[in-house]
Amino acid sequence: MANRGPSYGLSREVQQKIDRQYDPELEQVLVRWMMGQCGGDIPQPAPGRDGFQQWLKDGTVLCRLINSLYPRGQGPVAKIQASTMAFKQMEQISQFLQAAERYGIAATDIFQTVDLWEGKNMACVQRTLMNLGSLAVAKGDGLFVGDPNWFPKKSQENRRVFSEDKLKEGQNVIGLQMGTNRGASQAGMTGYGMPRQIL
C-alpha cells in the first residue's frame, strides 16, 4: 500500500463502504479464469483481498491476461516484465487498461490505476475483470478459456426490419400507454359545483 496513514471520520466510512463491496467468491472465480486463460505457470495468489491485490499489483498477470485474448503474436502489450519499481508497475497496469478499452470495455467500467496499485477500490478491479470475461465469452472467437457460465451473458443486438405497410399500420393504433378512448363520453355530465348566483 501507499505511505498513507489511517483514515478517520467520513473518509473512513466511505472506505469501509467500498471495502464491503469486495466479493471473495468472485475473487475465486476470477483467479480460476485468469490462471486458466494465462497458462499454468502463474503462481496462485494468497486468498483474500490483500493477496489478490498483491498478485495483480505489478501488472504482469493483467498484461498476460489481455494478451491471451488475442491471437498469438498479436497481443496489445508488447513488453511484459516483472519489476519492483512503482512507476513500472503502474505503467503496466495502465497498459492493460488501455488495451482493455481497445478490446471493447466501456471507459466507465474500467478501474483507475491507483484503485489497484494502492488497493483503494478492489471491488472496481473485480468489476472490470468481470466485464472483460463477459466480453471475451460474447466475442466467441475461440480464445476464451474456461467456463462461460462464470460470467454474466452480454446482451446481443436483435435488429428487426418492418415493411412500410406494417409501419403505417402501427401509426393507426393508440398505445395503451397513452390511455384508451373507448367507453369515454360526456353523456350525463353536469357542470361542477354551484352555478354562479347573480342577484
Side-chain angles (χ1 to χ4, degrees):
M1 304 277 180
N3 295 328
R4 288 193 181 162
S7 54
Y8 297 97
L10 184 61
S11 299
R12 183 179 188 147
E13 288 178 31
V14 169
Q15 188 60 48
Q16 287 174 341
K17 189 174 183 180
I18 290 170
D19 290 345
R20 280 194 299 269
Q21 294 174 351
Y22 185 81
D23 186 356
E25 292 174 11
L26 178 57
E27 173 199 316
Q28 293 172 358
V29 169
L30 291 171
V31 167
R32 268 192 304 182
W33 171 57
M34 292 168 74
M35 289 186 71
Q37 186 74 40
C38 295
D41 59 336
I42 293 179
Q44 179 96 11
R49 186 177 158 283
D50 293 333
F52 190 60
Q53 187 252 345
Q54 288 300 321
W55 187 54
L56 299 175
K57 184 177 178 179
D58 68 352
T60 56
V61 175
L62 294 174
C63 289
R64 286 184 62 181
L65 175 67
I66 197 71
N67 278 353
S68 71
L69 296 173
Y70 285 86
R72 189 171 296 282
Q74 297 179 16
V77 182
K79 192 175 182 184
I80 302 171
Q81 59 185 17
S83 175
T84 56
M85 292 188 287
F87 73 92
K88 283 280 190 191
Q89 293 177 345
M90 293 175 94
E91 183 182 357
Q92 287 200 145
I93 293 171
S94 64
Q95 283 179 339
F96 163 77
L97 295 175
Q98 291 166 359
E101 195 168 350
R102 284 194 305 269
Y103 190 72
I105 296 197
T108 55
D109 292 337
I110 292 181
F111 64 88
Q112 300 292 313
T113 303
V114 293
D115 290 341
L116 170 59
W117 202 81
E118 293 182 0
K120 288 290 183 189
N121 193 349
M122 290 303 293
C124 192
V125 173
Q126 283 186 322
R127 283 192 296 273
T128 300
L129 293 172
M130 196 70 176
N131 284 327
L132 182 64
S134 296
L135 192 59
V137 170
K139 283 197 174 190
D141 52 10
L143 296 170
F144 175 81
V145 177
D147 185 358
N149 296 323
W150 287 340
F151 301 102
K153 194 171 185 179
K154 290 271 187 192
S155 59
Q156 302 289 325
E157 183 180 41
N158 188 3
R159 277 188 173 261
R160 291 173 172 84
V161 180
F162 295 104
S163 65
E164 285 296 320
D165 296 337
K166 201 67 164 168
L167 291 171
K168 285 181 183 174
E169 190 179 312
Q171 290 175 349
N172 298 332
V173 176
I174 297 174
L176 291 178
Q177 214 172 4
M178 297 172 227
T180 181
N181 61 356
R182 292 199 177 122
S185 75
Q186 292 183 343
M189 287 190 66
T190 59
Y192 297 112
M194 294 287 292
R196 185 170 172 205
Q197 301 293 320
I198 300 175
L199 298 173

